[in-house]
Amino acid sequence: MRSNAKQEPFRSRVYTDRPAYADFDAPRKFMAIESIIARRLIEHPHAMCSYSGGSDSDILIDLIERVRNLFSFPPVDYAFFNTGLEMEATKRHVREVGDIYGVEIRVCRPKTNIVRATREFGLPFVSKIMSAGLECVQRKGIPLSIADEYAEAEDKVAKRQELRRRYPKCEQAINFLCGCNSAGEPRPNIQLVIGSSKYMLDFIKEHPIPFRVSNRCCDVCKKSVAHEIQKGYDMVITGERRAEGGMRSVPRKDNTSMCFTETADGTYRLRPLYYVTDEDKAWYKKYYGIRYSDAYEVYGLKRTGCCGCSISSKAVDDLEKIRPYEPNLVKAAWAVFGESYKYRQKYNAYKSERMKLEKDKQKE
């Protein structure tokens, strides 16, 4: 007998295990965050913080320095990772913020810059998750047709097992294309599958990707550099927020309700802003008089991150906002990510047309 009870939507551990302060209003939430920072700095005083020059980092450094000065804690070391494609506005802001708080923000550069990294590994496309999945499909040479095989199979578990035998050591690519897990169970509504982007599979079938896809430029230009810098510290502090979406909203082994964990190498990681919303940030900025970089205050950007990164759906629009102030940087970004920008525009047009056709068909 079918139950008429409304099925509860699936919620990941990021939501279900969130701490009580995640639902506080802005003043109380930041008081709780300050107490968390204070506690962890007492336990792990030899700490470093990644500072990006973005709005999240501006809130984070203000919180840390406010707590540190209140309790006379030892200095926290700050590091800014310059990928080789950064706005002058950001680099200038890094220097200005260091002067405001009386701290040194160390500028760290990768051995391989963003230009060489994208040429060697490929270009990011749509999201880090989508890029990782497509990279695996391209690298393993998995045909897109396996998605149809799986969809049409009556016994999906058996089909999944057969695909494993046919394409050994390709678990990620198979799950990504088929929208399932390794047991063969359909998982069409999670972020880790190609179906998370509407019509993407159909689009790629009709318009094959004309370049290599990869999100490894982020690993090469930021993560690997950060991991090297972070060695020797007791605790690493980062400004990740769940509200940013993408990979940062996906549960991970090191996510806990307090956003404080011990990593495999024995280093502790603290993410104080993880449950801070955009509204919380706006309150904090106004209350404490925080000034963001000119990228926000003058250019009008909503987010910065890696300048021009083709993962951002607004990359091309944002570059036009930057153009009047830093035209050479815009030219450089197009030289690096241009193929991905154009393919994204083609996909957006395809998606819009498909959605329009569906809407028109429903009216008939």
Side-chain angles (χ1 to χ4, degrees):
M1 183 175 178
R2 181 177 295 177
S3 171
N4 292 324
K6 186 177 179 180
Q7 187 175 1
E8 288 294 322
F10 170 78
R11 296 187 185 278
S12 72
R13 287 187 295 106
V14 169
Y15 182 88
T16 58
D17 294 351
R18 72 192 188 284
Y21 78 83
D23 297 318
F24 289 176
D25 57 16
R28 292 177 63 214
K29 181 179 290 186
F30 286 110
M31 289 175 64
I33 291 171
E34 287 174 358
S35 69
I36 292 169
I37 293 173
R39 174 186 171 187
R40 299 309 179 183
L41 284 177
I42 290 172
E43 296 172 342
H44 310 287
H46 187 41
M48 70 87 61
C49 175
S50 295
Y51 177 81
S52 70
S55 59
D56 291 344
S57 285
D58 284 339
I59 301 295
L60 181 60
I61 194 171
D62 191 79
L63 280 164
I64 293 172
E65 289 304 303
R66 190 178 300 282
V67 169
R68 195 181 67 76
N69 290 326
L70 180 64
F71 294 98
S72 298
F73 289 151
V76 170
D77 290 342
Y78 294 95
F80 167 69
F81 301 100
N82 185 336
T83 65
L85 194 65
E86 304 290 342
M87 286 179 281
E88 287 299 325
T90 299
K91 292 186 283 189
R92 184 169 60 247
H93 188 63
V94 170
R95 295 191 296 269
E96 292 170 348
V97 167
D99 292 340
I100 288 171
Y101 294 101
V103 300
E104 178 187 359
I105 301 177
R106 178 182 175 187
V107 178
C108 306
R109 294 177 179 273
K111 294 179 181 178
T112 302
N113 65 25
I114 193 76
V115 177
R116 289 173 55 195
T118 52
R119 286 176 181 171
E120 183 175 351
F121 300 108
L123 298 173
F125 176 64
V126 173
S127 69
K128 289 185 179 180
I129 294 173
M130 185 63 64
S131 299
L134 291 174
E135 178 186 17
C136 193
V137 169
Q138 288 181 332
R139 180 163 38 86
K140 298 287 188 178
I142 309 297
L144 303 179
S145 58
I146 69 167
D148 297 324
E149 290 185 46
Y150 178 81
E152 295 165 5
E154 291 186 12
D155 189 338
K156 297 191 183 303
V157 172
K159 171 54 68 173
R160 181 64 182 80
Q161 292 174 346
E162 188 269 322
L163 289 172
R164 179 182 289 114
R165 291 191 295 270
R166 198 193 316 170
Y167 303 104
K169 299 181 180 180
C170 296
E171 295 295 291
Q172 178 186 351
I174 296 171
N175 293 346
F176 174 74
L177 285 177
C178 297
C180 64
N181 61 19
S182 295
E185 301 165 336
R187 299 288 300 278
N189 298 319
I190 63 172
Q191 292 189 52
L192 301 175
V193 300
I194 196 169
S196 61
S197 290
K198 201 172 182 67
Y199 311 122
M200 181 62 75
L201 181 60
D202 290 344
F203 171 71
I204 294 176
K205 286 178 180 177
E206 295 179 33
H207 307 279
I209 305 173
F211 54 89
R212 282 189 301 162
V213 180
S214 175
N215 65 4
R216 292 187 64 188
C217 54
C218 182
D219 294 333
V220 171
C221 297
K222 278 197 169 182
K223 290 183 179 178
S224 62
V225 186
H227 291 161
E228 189 64 30
I229 298 299
Q230 291 164 3
K231 290 179 180 178
Y233 286 96
D234 300 330
M235 181 170 69
V236 175
I237 310 172
T238 58
E240 296 163 82
R241 292 193 306 124
R242 176 178 179 262
E244 292 179 276
M247 287 295 291
R248 296 183 178 188
S249 66
V250 176
R252 298 181 302 190
K253 291 181 179 179
D254 67 343
N255 262 342
T256 70
S257 60
M258 294 299 290
C259 305
F260 175 79
T261 51
E262 183 177 7
T263 61
D265 62 2
T267 302
Y268 292 92
R269 184 170 294 275
L270 177 63
R271 296 183 282 263
L273 303 186
Y274 197 70
Y275 291 99
V276 168
T277 66
D278 292 343
E279 291 75 18
D280 296 331
K281 280 178 59 182
W283 176 89
Y284 194 98
K285 182 181 191 297
K286 182 177 180 181
Y287 188 84
Y288 287 107
I290 305 296
R291 189 187 188 282
Y292 296 153
S293 78
D294 285 347
Y296 297 88
E297 308 280 1
V298 178
Y299 301 2
L301 302 183
K302 300 297 182 185
R303 292 180 66 174
T304 51
C306 297
C307 183
C309 178
S310 49
I311 278 177
S312 170
S313 62
K314 300 182 183 300
V316 173
D317 293 337
D318 284 348
L319 287 176
E320 289 310 303
K321 293 179 180 179
I322 298 170
R323 189 184 295 278
Y325 308 96
E326 303 186 36
N328 290 336
L329 181 67
V330 174
K331 184 178 179 180
W334 269 97
V336 174
F337 300 113
E339 283 189 288
S340 188
Y341 295 156
K342 293 173 184 176
Y343 194 63
R344 177 73 169 261
Q345 290 172 330
K346 195 171 184 177
Y347 164 65
N348 288 342
Y350 177 91
K351 182 170 66 172
S352 296
E353 182 62 25
R354 284 284 300 269
M355 292 176 69
K356 181 179 181 298
L357 289 173
E358 279 193 9
K359 189 174 182 180
D360 291 344
K361 189 174 292 185
Q362 289 174 357
K363 290 179 180 179
E364 293 177 358

